[in-house]
Amino acid sequence: MKGYTFFWGCQIPARFSFMEKSTRLVLDMLNVDYVDLPGFTCCPEKTLVKNYNEKLWMITAARNIAIAEKNGRGMLHACTGCYSTLQSVNSKIKTYPKIMKEVNGYLGSVGLGVSGRCEIKHIVEFFHDELGYGKIREKVKRPLKGMRIAVHGGCHLVRPSRAIHFDDPVKPIKYDRLIEWIGARSVYYSTKMMCCGGYLDRTGQHSKTLYMASVKLHELSLIKVDAITTTCPECFKVYDNYQYLLKKEHPEFNIPVFTLQELMALSFGFSPDELGLDQHRMNTSQFVEKMEKGY
């Protein structure tokens, strides 16, 4: 492999351009070898496509992997849904020769193929396992000293565990370590592994999504965290956009939401304006003010 291609997925470039910007700034600051490749489609996500037609889901995902393979590159992901889909399919291709043969039968008609050798990594995995403490810490100019951060990895970051092995699926710690490497404190809380509920929206159960989000937000309000962090665009939507809606009934909910990349970029010295933090629904100014005071 000669570096990586970044697989942005659908939601980040279409809905949350500020996520893409902070990710690029951090990757460039860390001198990561990555490129954008043409031809990618939706990963595709599991809830709708896989349940409708699993073979279609697998072939579509394999086609994306094949594009990276054809260019001799691995794949980096920020979206946990994309990561889980592509890593799951890649694992099946590597494990079952019959599946690889069938998939390649379809991909061959468009001049592509998969071998199972493509390295597929989430940025949490890449930052922690490949770059490590030293390379990240040396870029920190403004440690997030004293900031209490609640890590929400989301369901797909470490699952399914049969395909994703970079962290413990029940008690993951690597995202937490990254937060501490940039100077903040990762706060333990009992609902840490609870789903955001975002996918219930896809089945017309919006009220249940709001309820599940409110359970976690209630706990985090009680223990007075300074922010929630997630890399998943769906989880970000729930805790940022929907928290804004929930404030009508829960005025105590006032927790800013940041991606890992945004927190890293802030610690690397980038300004809130450079990162587009004003595009968040939940106000981030109180967090930034406290961070700049350094306590």
Side-chain angles (χ1 to χ4, degrees):
M1 293 291 173
K2 55 181 181 182
Y4 294 90
T5 178
F6 209 98
F7 187 89
W8 296 101
C10 303
Q11 290 209 60
I12 291 176
R15 299 185 69 166
F16 302 117
S17 58
F18 52 88
M19 290 187 184
E20 180 177 346
K21 184 173 184 182
S22 63
T23 304
R24 290 185 184 277
L25 289 172
V26 167
L27 292 175
D28 291 344
M29 178 70 81
L30 292 167
N31 298 313
V32 175
D33 176 14
Y34 75 100
V35 298
D36 295 323
L37 292 176
F40 288 138
T41 62
C42 175
C43 58
E45 64 91 37
K46 296 179 179 180
T47 310
L48 300 177
V49 180
K50 185 181 180 184
N51 288 336
Y52 171 70
N53 187 321
E54 185 170 1
K55 182 181 288 187
L56 177 64
W57 171 78
M58 185 176 300
I59 293 167
T60 305
R63 179 189 167 278
N64 286 318
I65 297 169
I67 290 172
E69 274 202 34
K70 186 175 182 179
N71 286 271
R73 290 185 173 267
M75 303 179 84
L76 280 180
H77 301 267
C79 175
T80 57
C82 296
Y83 169 67
S84 181
T85 285
L86 294 169
Q87 190 67 292
S88 295
V89 170
N90 203 42
S91 177
K92 280 197 171 187
I93 289 168
K94 289 190 290 186
T95 306
Y96 301 104
K98 184 177 179 180
I99 290 177
M100 183 188 295
K101 182 178 180 181
E102 182 180 13
V103 167
N104 281 332
Y106 287 97
L107 295 181
S109 65
V110 291
L112 294 171
V114 287
S115 67
R117 292 193 294 270
C118 184
E119 291 185 340
I120 297 175
K121 295 184 181 293
H122 192 275
I123 56 170
V124 169
E125 176 185 15
F126 177 76
F127 289 153
H128 185 280
D129 294 355
E130 289 208 22
L131 295 187
Y133 174 84
K135 289 184 179 179
I136 290 175
R137 189 67 184 178
E138 72 180 7
K139 300 297 183 182
V140 175
K141 299 177 181 177
R142 184 172 52 196
L144 307 187
K145 183 181 177 183
M147 307 305 291
R148 291 164 45 82
I149 310 294
V151 170
H152 173 82
C155 299
H156 300 298
L157 180 62
V158 289
R159 302 186 185 101
S161 58
R162 65 180 180 275
I164 298 171
H165 313 290
F166 81 88
D167 208 344
D168 190 304
V170 179
K171 295 182 179 180
I173 58 173
K174 292 184 177 180
Y175 197 156
D176 304 79
R177 284 178 179 165
L178 290 170
I179 292 301
E180 293 179 352
W181 290 355
I182 59 175
R185 177 185 170 190
S186 176
V187 177
Y188 170 81
Y189 63 106
S190 63
T191 57
K192 178 178 179 179
M193 299 302 290
M194 181 178 177
C195 175
C196 72
Y199 274 56
L200 289 168
D201 269 344
R202 289 165 167 74
T203 58
Q205 301 182 77
H206 182 65
S207 62
K208 291 184 179 180
T209 297
L210 294 179
Y211 173 74
M212 289 185 69
S214 69
V215 171
K216 181 168 291 196
L217 291 168
H218 177 69
E219 180 184 5
L220 296 179
S221 296
L222 286 177
I223 64 175
K224 301 185 184 303
V225 299
D226 292 304
I228 305 170
T229 182
T230 185
T231 65
C232 174
E234 185 71 21
C235 298
F236 185 94
K237 179 188 74 176
V238 169
Y239 292 123
D240 188 56
N241 294 15
Y242 291 178
Q243 182 182 178
Y244 188 81
L245 298 176
L246 285 164
K247 279 180 66 66
K248 295 176 182 179
E249 295 182 9
H250 300 275
E252 72 277 14
F253 291 175
N254 192 34
I255 307 172
V257 187
F258 296 90
T259 66
L260 168 65
Q261 307 92 287
E262 288 174 323
L263 292 175
M264 291 178 71
L266 286 170
S267 76
F268 289 178
F270 292 102
S271 71
D273 289 342
E274 288 177 287
L275 301 178
L277 296 187
D278 59 343
Q279 296 179 46
H280 292 210
R281 293 301 297 272
M282 297 301 298
N283 194 303
T284 62
S285 59
Q286 186 174 351
F287 178 95
V288 172
E289 289 170 10
K290 182 176 179 179
M291 176 197 73
E292 289 177 342
K293 290 179 181 177
Y295 66 85

